[in-house]
Amino acid sequence: MKEPQILSTFHELAGDPAELAASARVSPAAQVFDACRAGVILRAVLFVELVLCVGAMFNTGNFVDWLALCAVLTGGALPATLTWLIVACSLKRPLALLPEAGQITAGVVLGAFAGLYGCAMLALLGVADPAPWLASAAAGALVSALVVAGLLLRARARTPAATTARLDELQARIQPHFLFNTLNSAIALVRAEPAKAESLLEDLSDLFRHALVDQGETVSVAHEVALARQYLSIEQVRFGDRLQVRWDLDPAAGDTLVPPLLLQPLVENAVRHGVEPSPSGADVQISTERRKGTVVIKVTNTVPGGPGPKGQGLALANVRERLKLQHDVQGQFQAAFKDGLFRVRIEVPV
């Protein structure tokens, strides 16, 4: 049997704590111009519009004039803001190589040019005569500085949150009851079915290796499916016919990137709350489907004994938080119990 492989997994982890800590740390400066996300774009546009509309109040005396001035200013500010976001998104990799001060300076300079671009748009429309070039550049630089500050705060908040979520998730994976139950199952099989016991320990080793060794920020859906299969193959030995698993996988969804260990906690949750408390067992279904620009992942399990007492929901909360960190508003998470079925539905962008 390959028990040394199990031990080697823990030796690797124990021997390189600095390496694991370093891999969990991500420089906030490297994430400042992560402006390609729909949530960031929406918030930036709304912020600029809010600033413009508040500023317009100083130059108007009634609602109609204020609304008209907001519309005029939007004609210049909206293209300028979108241009700033597009350029920031396109240059986020080279900008990430700069120190934090350099990134802030680049953002402010880019904002000044965006302000000049917005002023040019208003001049072409004939609503700015004479064109306030200097004021537009200064306003663009100021608003851009505020946007960059918001992005920097977002990046700094995201880094410890991601690290904390990762550590919580690692602790959740090493649940003593699962490890002890698996080892007890292997012990019971050693004499009667040694080959099966060996296979069980190999699966346990592979599962812990993937769960404990840092995988980076994202992994493929196919990788997550493989990990969930290993987990279920271990639990299949323990529960036998009580655990019925059905897979409905779309090959086109396999390459989509998701946060690591997104699927396995959901499958484990289905086993713990669906199969384990029921003498008759339960059915677990895992499906993936690619729909145009998104991939939908579902984990469904029957609950023969009813929902039972409400747990702490740590696994679901953990998955929801890491999904939000990775995909912001583009990632959707839903969990509901209905008609004897508990279903978790995840939607991520391709």
Side-chain angles (χ1 to χ4, degrees), residues 26-283:
V26 182
S27 172
Q31 303 178 38
V32 171
F33 285 95
D34 190 12
C36 308
R37 301 179 182 278
V40 173
I41 295 173
L42 179 62
R43 294 182 186 106
V45 170
L46 290 177
F47 173 73
V48 173
E49 284 294 311
L50 180 63
V51 171
L52 287 178
C53 291
V54 171
M57 293 179 179
F58 291 94
N59 294 321
T60 55
N62 56 68
F63 177 76
V64 175
D65 290 343
W66 172 79
L67 196 61
L69 183 57
C70 286
V72 170
L73 294 176
T74 298
L78 184 59
T81 303
L82 293 177
T83 300
W84 189 95
L85 290 167
I86 291 172
V87 174
C89 176
S90 303
L91 298 179
K92 72 174 184 177
R93 292 187 182 276
L95 287 173
L97 301 176
L98 298 175
E100 184 175 303
Q103 292 197 35
I104 295 174
T105 301
V108 172
V109 171
L110 181 59
F113 281 106
L116 292 174
Y117 173 70
C119 184
M121 294 293 294
L122 293 178
L124 288 175
L125 293 173
V127 295
D129 188 22
W133 298 106
L134 183 59
S136 297
L142 178 61
V143 173
S144 178
L146 294 175
V147 172
V148 171
L151 291 174
L152 182 59
L153 290 174
R154 175 181 179 271
R156 285 177 173 171
R158 179 181 176 183
T159 300
T163 302
T164 301
R166 176 67 177 168
L167 292 175
D168 289 343
E169 171 268 316
L170 290 179
Q171 293 171 352
R173 298 286 60 73
I174 316 173
Q175 296 199 23
H177 85 279
F178 168 66
L179 176 60
F180 295 155
N181 287 334
T182 303
L183 292 178
N184 286 334
S185 298
I187 292 171
L189 291 171
V190 165
R191 292 185 178 180
E193 301 181 71
K196 200 170 184 179
E198 180 180 3
S199 176
L200 179 63
L201 291 176
E202 288 176 357
D203 286 338
L204 179 65
S205 171
D206 289 339
L207 181 65
F208 270 70
R209 184 176 298 278
H210 285 89
L212 299 179
V213 176
D214 188 72
Q215 302 290 330
E217 288 190 359
T218 58
V219 297
S220 67
V221 170
H223 180 276
E224 286 292 289
V225 169
L227 191 63
R229 284 186 185 275
Q230 286 182 322
Y231 170 78
L232 288 173
S233 67
I234 293 173
E235 294 289 47
Q236 191 77 64
V237 174
R238 178 182 167 204
F239 292 107
D241 294 338
R242 290 173 59 196
L243 172 59
Q244 299 293 325
V245 182
R246 186 157 68 92
W247 299 88
D248 185 10
L249 305 177
D250 183 356
D255 294 333
T256 303
L257 297 180
V258 294
L261 289 172
L262 190 76
L263 182 58
Q264 194 272 341
L266 302 179
V267 174
E268 181 177 345
N269 197 65
V271 172
R272 290 189 63 192
H273 298 286
V275 181
E276 190 170 347
S278 173
S280 60
D283 299 333

